[in-house]
Amino acid sequence: MAAEAMAIGRATQSSYLPRNQIYYLLGRLLRSRNGIVGGLLVLALALVALGAQLLSQYDPILPDIAAAFSAPSAAHPFGTDNFGRDILARVLYGARVSLLMGAIPIVLAGSIGVLLGLIAGYFRGWLETAIQAAIDVLLAFPGILLALAIVAMLGPGLGNLMIAVGISWIPSYARLARSSVLVARELSYVEAARAIGCSEARVLLVHILPNIVAPLIVLATLGIAQAILAGSALSFIGLGIKPPTPEWGTMLSVGRNFVRLAWWMSVFPGLAITVSVLAFNLLGDGLRDTLDPHSRL
Amino acid sequence: MRQFLIRRVPVTLLVLLGVTLGAFIMLHLAPGDPVLLLVGENTQSGTDSAEAIQQIRARLGLDEPLPIQYLRFIGGVLHGDLGQSIFQRRPVLNIIIDQFPHTAQLALAAILIAAVVGMTAGILAARAYNSWFDSLTMAAALFGVSMPGFWLGLMLILLFAVGLGWLPTSGQGTLWHLILPATTLGLGHGAILARLTRSSMLEVLHQEYMTTARGKGLRESAVLLRHGLRNAAIPVITIIGLQFGHMLAGAFVIEIVFARQGLGNILVTAILNRDFPVAQGTILFTAFFYVLTNLLVDLAYSILDPRVRYGG
């Protein structure tokens, strides 16, 4: 019972503190033009992903050979592909996969990376040395190469792709969290929390984490953009999502084969990737500018 | 300088050791037995195949315990032996040496384009700070960092090869074949450089020595280039160096778009065929190259900027 009460107390406190920082971020964000545009685009993207079947009458997977390679028209605004499927429908449904491909690896990388960074920065000692060494080794691989290596090991597919991209982002979070903790652990509120007898875990999770969450959110937002790019690139070279699933990178790799015959197969899925990545980049830039006055200049 | 080497070189060696361990573990834990694939191609009856599998395993050293395989692998790497390709039956190092020039050529051409386009755009945007030109350049740069390289490549193929017919869609050999892939790879990195050069220039533009330079009557271009750029260039050069390491890996995807030979092509083929010595060797080679470039960049940085004192 006591443990349960403490857990609830911790939950309410920890959800209260970061909310303060998140409200602060949101308030500042509304003054950044990039941030507003990015936020609206991200919102639109989420709505498209949720309501894809409401927005298009066509099935994204069922072939209709009679309609293959139709140029853009009123019936098919983005044209049709080699199987006669409506490209607009496939682009709309593709938003689902892309958002998952962007968000899930970042949640994975964020939670593991931040935990490692917190431990390394707070407890120091051999733990820090070990974690730091692992981070240095992982950072020695360019991100896309690391993701490629992991996909090579696990095999293609959406799940493995998300794990691969996720793992390649862990070191960035661990590094950022560690350097933030190194600063925060010397501050007086941490000392105060220790003085009133808080456990190490409580100091770390309830007092330090909420105070370093803002830069982590910026990294996560920009990270989603990078994860969408990495996921679609891996799918493009045939190591990610397999057809017939509507995914933009895979659609482009098919479109490449018909580049002389059907330009629309190569144009629209790429435009969709660009707009999605742009949305998260704008939002991330907006968030960073509100956090770091120096970069506004 | 010596201090710097003493501090950095052991760390770099440790990282390289970690990289070999990482590459080894990754590909040896991978599911899918390449030997079965090989045997499947060569033999018909079931009784022969069990024996054939054992023979091939022994020949490739795959029947030994993993730690022994790792030690042999490290020993091999130190002697420049990255193993044999399972499918091509030739040393992995030879395959890499054959393919590396193609990728290096692409990465070098791309870094040149990135540096020229990115730094020019960044300097001009900083000079015209807050003007329409600045906004336009930065919007283009943001677009550039958000665009997937492989899509930019496809769009350039569509425009210049399919539409206008000026350049070949794929393949290699002449300078004409290099233009589109190098532009594709260069523009994305150029966009990053443009943003960085601009913010770096903005930081120095308001320094007192800039006012002094103007005060003594120098032409604006001389003020910008000799006093502004020289100081702003340090972080930019660092990033160019780091980007070069990245470009090698970034070139992989672009090679696929333009159906070019190179490390990317052999890596992806190796992964799809589960030819793990080749995949492992290519990944290892690229990571080594990346780590050593980073070391050189840090070294150059400490020489260029006397304010940096490693291990002071």
Side-chain angles (χ1 to χ4, degrees):
Chain A
M1 277 302 280
E4 204 183 320
M6 256 180 66
I8 293 168
R10 191 175 301 154
T12 49
Q13 269 217 29
S14 59
S15 61
Y16 170 72
L17 277 168
R19 204 183 298 152
N20 248 353
Q21 266 212 341
I22 288 164
Y23 279 151
Y24 171 77
L25 258 180
L26 282 178
R28 304 277 307 255
L29 186 63
L30 288 177
R31 276 179 254 160
S32 142
R33 199 181 41 185
N34 280 2
I36 295 173
V37 175
L40 288 176
L41 277 174
V42 169
L43 198 67
L45 207 62
L47 289 177
V48 165
L50 286 173
Q53 66 263 63
L54 302 176
L55 293 168
S56 175
Q57 73 214 57
Y58 296 103
D59 187 288
I61 292 176
L62 220 63
D64 175 11
I65 299 297
F69 298 120
S70 314
S73 63
H76 300 286
F78 289 1
T80 63
D81 67 5
N82 49 331
F83 290 110
R85 297 172 298 202
D86 182 58
I87 291 182
L88 176 61
R90 288 178 63 76
V91 166
L92 293 172
Y93 279 92
R96 292 183 178 174
V97 180
S98 287
L99 282 184
L100 284 179
M101 224 163 55
I104 290 181
I106 296 304
V107 171
L108 181 89
S111 34
I112 299 176
V114 168
L115 191 68
L116 288 175
L118 284 174
I119 292 171
Y122 188 71
F123 294 108
R124 316 295 307 265
W126 66 268
L127 257 178
E128 185 184 27
T129 313
I131 292 174
Q132 191 61 41
I135 293 175
D136 282 344
V137 169
L138 283 178
L139 283 175
F141 287 92
I144 185 81
L145 189 69
L146 187 58
L148 256 172
I150 299 167
V151 168
M153 178 177 91
L154 300 174
L158 178 62
N160 291 343
L161 182 72
M162 292 192 299
I163 294 173
V165 176
I167 292 177
S168 68
W169 270 85
I170 290 176
S172 312
Y173 285 93
R175 191 170 54 169
L176 181 63
R178 175 179 161 268
S179 62
S180 308
V181 173
L182 285 180
V183 178
R185 70 194 295 274
E186 308 299 335
L187 297 178
S188 47
Y189 69 82
V190 173
E191 203 180 329
R194 275 211 205 101
I196 60 171
C198 291
S199 68
E200 302 280 35
R202 189 178 165 82
V203 171
L204 208 49
L205 296 177
V206 179
H207 295 276
I208 292 182
L209 182 58
N211 283 290
I212 62 166
V213 81
L216 292 170
I217 290 176
V218 175
L219 185 66
T221 314
L222 295 170
I224 291 177
Q226 293 303 314
I228 293 177
L229 277 178
S232 59
L234 289 173
S235 297
F236 177 80
I237 58 180
L239 297 176
I241 288 145
K242 292 287 170 197
T245 310
E247 194 281 328
W248 299 331
T250 315
M251 290 168 72
L252 284 175
S253 109
V254 178
R256 192 201 171 286
N257 299 331
F258 301 107
V259 74
R260 290 182 181 277
L261 189 65
W263 56 267
W264 52 92
M265 285 178 70
S266 309
V267 170
F268 296 110
L271 209 55
I273 302 176
T274 307
V275 171
S276 318
V277 175
L278 189 67
F280 283 100
N281 273 339
L282 280 171
L283 184 61
D285 274 5
L287 286 168
R288 192 194 45 217
D289 289 350
T290 61
L291 276 174
D292 178 10
H294 184 68
S295 68
R296 259 181 305 176
L297 223 115
Chain B
M1 177 76 179
R2 184 175 298 166
Q3 280 282 342
F4 170 79
L5 285 177
I6 290 172
R7 275 171 67 92
R8 276 299 306 268
V9 170
V11 176
T12 305
L13 287 178
L14 269 179
V15 167
L16 290 179
L17 197 67
V19 168
T20 58
L21 185 63
F24 179 81
I25 292 176
M26 266 175 205
L27 289 158
H28 275 72
L29 293 184
D33 192 337
V35 177
L36 287 183
L37 283 174
L38 257 186
V39 172
E41 280 177 0
N42 296 337
T43 57
Q44 308 293 328
S45 69
T47 44
D48 286 351
S49 63
E51 207 173 296
I53 287 173
Q54 271 315 311
Q55 275 178 4
I56 294 175
R57 279 187 186 288
R59 181 163 58 85
L60 297 173
L62 293 173
D63 52 350
E64 287 175 279
L66 279 182
I68 304 287
Q69 285 191 42
Y70 176 62
L71 285 180
R72 281 170 47 129
F73 172 63
I74 289 283
V77 169
L78 290 177
H79 289 99
D81 174 13
L82 293 172
Q84 289 268 331
S85 161
I86 293 178
F87 286 87
Q88 294 190 38
R89 313 224 166 162
R90 49 192 285 241
V92 172
L93 191 67
N94 291 5
I95 298 178
I96 291 176
I97 289 173
D98 279 353
Q99 300 295 326
F100 178 64
H102 299 301
T103 307
Q105 186 189 40
L106 175 57
L108 276 173
I111 203 90
L112 198 70
I113 293 173
V116 171
V117 173
M119 287 177 74
T120 312
I123 293 169
L124 293 179
R127 208 186 62 160
Y129 180 55
N130 254 348
S131 69
W132 63 268
F133 180 81
D134 183 25
S135 311
L136 194 72
T137 312
M138 283 307 104
L142 190 63
F143 205 71
V145 297
S146 303
M147 204 185 303
F150 56 90
W151 185 57
L152 177 62
L154 269 177
M155 292 301 96
L156 292 178
I157 289 179
L158 211 51
L159 184 62
F160 291 104
V162 176
L164 298 169
W166 290 352
L167 294 163
T169 51
S170 56
Q172 60 216 101
T174 67
L175 190 63
W176 299 114
H177 288 94
L178 190 61
I179 293 178
L180 288 184
T183 309
T184 304
L185 189 58
L187 285 185
H189 287 82
I192 300 173
L193 280 181
R195 281 157 63 107
L196 187 82
T197 308
R198 172 179 173 272
S199 66
S200 190
M201 277 299 272
L202 284 177
E203 247 168 66
V204 300
L205 280 185
H206 301 289
Q207 301 284 340
E208 281 179 10
Y209 56 74
M210 295 296 280
T211 319
T212 312
R214 284 205 184 86
K216 68 182 187 188
L218 282 182
R219 270 177 302 119
E220 186 61 24
S221 61
V223 174
L224 269 181
L225 294 180
R226 213 176 306 156
H227 294 264
L229 187 60
R230 259 184 92 162
N231 285 289
I234 294 165
V236 177
I237 289 173
T238 313
I239 297 294
I240 292 179
L242 296 180
Q243 276 188 338
F244 187 67
H246 258 287
M247 271 202 179
L248 214 56
F252 291 5
V253 181
I254 304 302
E255 284 173 4
I256 308 286
V257 180
F258 289 93
R260 279 176 65 88
Q261 287 185 300
L263 293 179
N265 228 320
I266 56 166
L267 176 60
V268 172
T269 313
I271 291 175
L272 291 174
N273 288 340
R274 312 219 64 86
D275 188 350
F276 65 75
V278 175
Q280 188 182 46
T282 315
I283 287 170
L284 205 61
F285 179 83
T286 316
F288 266 49
F289 188 85
Y290 183 66
V291 171
L292 293 177
T293 328
N294 283 3
L295 180 70
L296 288 178
V297 169
D298 278 358
L299 194 66
Y301 189 52
S302 74
I303 295 170
L304 271 179
D305 191 346
R307 285 169 297 186
V308 180
R309 291 262 179 268
Y310 288 95

